[in-house]
Amino acid sequence: MKRTTMKAATIRHYGDSHVHVGLAPMPEVGPNDVLVRVYAASMNPIDFKIRDGAVKLLLDYDMPLILGNDFSGVIEAVGPLVTDWAVGDEVYGRPSKERIGTFAEYLATDASNIARKPSNVSFQEAAALPLVALTSYQALHDIMNIQPDDRVLIQAGSGGIGTIAIQIAKQLGAYVATTTSTKNADFVRSLGADRVIDYKKEAFDNVLNDYDYVFDTLGGDQLRRAFPVVKRGGAIVSISDKPNGRFAEENDLPVWKKALFSVATWPLARLERTYGVTYHFLFMKPSGSQLDLIRQWVEDGAIKPVIDRTYPLEAVQEAFDASERGHARGKLIIELPIVKRVETKL
């Protein structure tokens, strides 16, 4: 019998501070899609930014909206044009921004957005990877083009992004500095950090200089203080501050958005000119092929996922609250019941 509903975590309008767990319609599966029975998903700052409407200029969704931006699970059905995947395959992925909704029992996503789950980690560990690993790889490899011995500062090294970004930067051969609290200093060193700045004892911009790149995960004053740290000709990539005109141009956004983003980031443009540093805003793109590279690194032992805590779907509100408070070591995971496959007809 074909299922028509599933359990999911939704909001009913932007600014809905309470995430509702209840029944939602099963997703529609297109010809190029796979239907995944979600076993685990992870919390990311983008989840509460979407909930609050903070990124409406970039992402504006119809309501009610199922939240969640990455996942691991098992394929339960494939679209008629999908040839590379089969029912029963264990996968992980990041759906397209237009089709989020991983805090649910099922997800339909384009087959190009998934990769085989790393064989040496659990579903929960696999779910901790897609968004943060893709974001880190695209910042460090695609934009910075990190080369061996390049020097990069990664802000907030013990957080969800930082724990993976440090490992990917080391895999690319970089010398890595990071900021963290006293209690996490040894932990980030264990991930590969070469220089650890305890932000409770010293300011990173007082002790670092002549770096090639900064990966900014905090925005605001932390971003502005990063410009003097970078050598002329270097770059800063941010995932937490404002998109600028360059981002709008590269993503073919409307002219009015290009103008709006340029005006909103004029203080950053002034810092670019003052210090001879290029500022990039990154909005990560899904990529099954990049996730497959990440899979290989995980299976080779070069990268390991880091989980702070897991929550059942019914406790998703607690996970949101914890995510907004910050200070998690690694990722917060939403677990869904792992059950025997049921018949799901397309």
Side-chain angles (χ1 to χ4, degrees):
M1 180 178 178
K2 183 177 180 180
R3 289 190 61 164
T4 59
T5 61
M6 63 178 179
K7 190 178 293 185
T10 65
I11 56 170
R12 297 167 183 169
H13 57 81
Y14 288 121
D16 194 347
S17 60
H18 180 70
V19 180
H20 307 267
V21 178
L23 293 180
M26 285 286 290
E28 296 184 6
V29 183
N32 293 299
D33 290 346
V34 294
L35 181 70
V36 177
R37 175 65 164 95
V38 178
Y39 284 3
S42 81
M43 288 292 308
N44 295 282
I46 190 66
D47 295 312
F48 58 79
K49 291 179 181 179
I50 290 172
R51 180 202 63 188
D52 295 342
V55 291
K56 281 181 65 177
L57 279 174
L58 296 175
L59 299 171
D60 195 2
Y61 295 103
D62 295 330
M63 298 290 160
L65 174 67
I66 302 174
L67 297 169
N69 281 272
D70 53 8
F71 67 94
S72 67
V74 174
I75 293 177
E76 290 223 347
V78 298
L81 300 183
V82 175
T83 58
D84 296 335
W85 299 100
V87 171
D89 286 346
E90 297 181 351
V91 298
Y92 76 141
R94 200 286 194 216
S96 66
K97 299 175 181 68
E98 297 77 22
R99 301 177 68 190
I100 66 170
T102 65
F103 298 162
E105 292 181 295
Y106 290 91
L107 173 79
T109 186
D110 192 284
S112 65
N113 296 333
I114 63 173
R116 282 193 294 117
K117 181 184 80 69
S119 60
N120 59 333
V121 299
S122 67
F123 282 101
Q124 290 83 357
E125 290 170 313
L129 290 166
L131 189 145
V132 295
L134 287 173
T135 300
S136 300
Y137 184 81
Q138 290 170 20
L140 298 164
H141 178 272
D142 295 355
I143 298 178
M144 296 179 190
N145 190 26
I146 291 284
Q147 300 298 308
D149 300 322
D150 280 349
R151 290 152 60 90
V152 58
L153 166 63
I154 297 171
Q155 295 279 31
S158 61
I161 285 280
T163 53
I164 296 301
I166 290 170
Q167 297 178 75
I168 290 179
K170 294 305 296 181
Q171 182 69 8
L172 296 173
Y175 176 93
V176 177
T178 193
T179 58
T180 193
S181 62
T182 305
K183 67 178 182 179
N184 286 319
D186 288 340
F187 169 63
V188 296
R189 288 190 186 96
S190 74
L191 298 175
D194 300 289
R195 175 73 164 89
V196 178
I197 299 96
D198 183 341
Y199 67 81
K200 294 186 176 183
K201 297 179 179 179
E202 55 188 358
F204 71 89
D205 46 327
N206 286 340
V207 297
L208 300 181
N209 61 78
D210 207 32
Y211 270 62
D212 298 285
Y213 305 104
V214 171
F215 185 18
D216 168 63
T217 64
L218 300 172
D221 183 60
Q222 299 294 312
L223 167 62
R224 287 148 186 78
R225 288 167 50 200
F227 278 85
V229 169
V230 182
K231 65 175 64 172
R232 299 191 73 84
I236 297 174
V237 178
S238 178
I239 58 171
S240 295
D241 211 88
K242 299 180 181 69
N244 58 357
R246 181 182 298 110
F247 171 85
E249 187 74 35
E250 292 170 349
N251 288 272
D252 296 321
L253 298 184
V255 172
W256 69 270
K257 287 190 178 182
K258 295 176 185 177
L260 177 64
F261 292 161
S262 295
V263 170
T265 58
W266 72 264
L268 296 177
R270 184 174 59 187
L271 288 170
E272 285 185 295
R273 293 191 296 271
T274 299
Y275 292 100
V277 172
T278 304
Y279 168 73
H280 299 269
F281 177 79
L282 170 62
F283 212 53
M284 181 273 297
K285 296 178 174 62
S287 173
S289 60
Q290 289 184 349
L291 281 177
D292 199 53
L293 173 62
I294 301 299
R295 174 192 62 78
Q296 295 174 47
W297 285 348
V298 173
E299 291 180 345
D300 290 344
I303 295 176
K304 59 181 180 181
V306 179
I307 293 176
D308 182 279
R309 186 177 174 186
T310 61
Y311 300 81
L313 181 64
E314 288 74 15
V316 67
Q317 184 64 48
E318 294 179 36
F320 268 91
D321 294 342
S323 181
E324 287 188 273
R325 287 194 298 270
H327 307 298
R329 179 189 281 193
K331 297 303 297 291
L332 304 176
I333 302 298
I334 306 299
E335 291 182 313
L336 291 103
I338 298 178
V339 298
K340 292 180 65 176
R341 192 174 70 87
V342 299
E343 183 180 3
T344 307
K345 297 179 181 179
L346 296 185

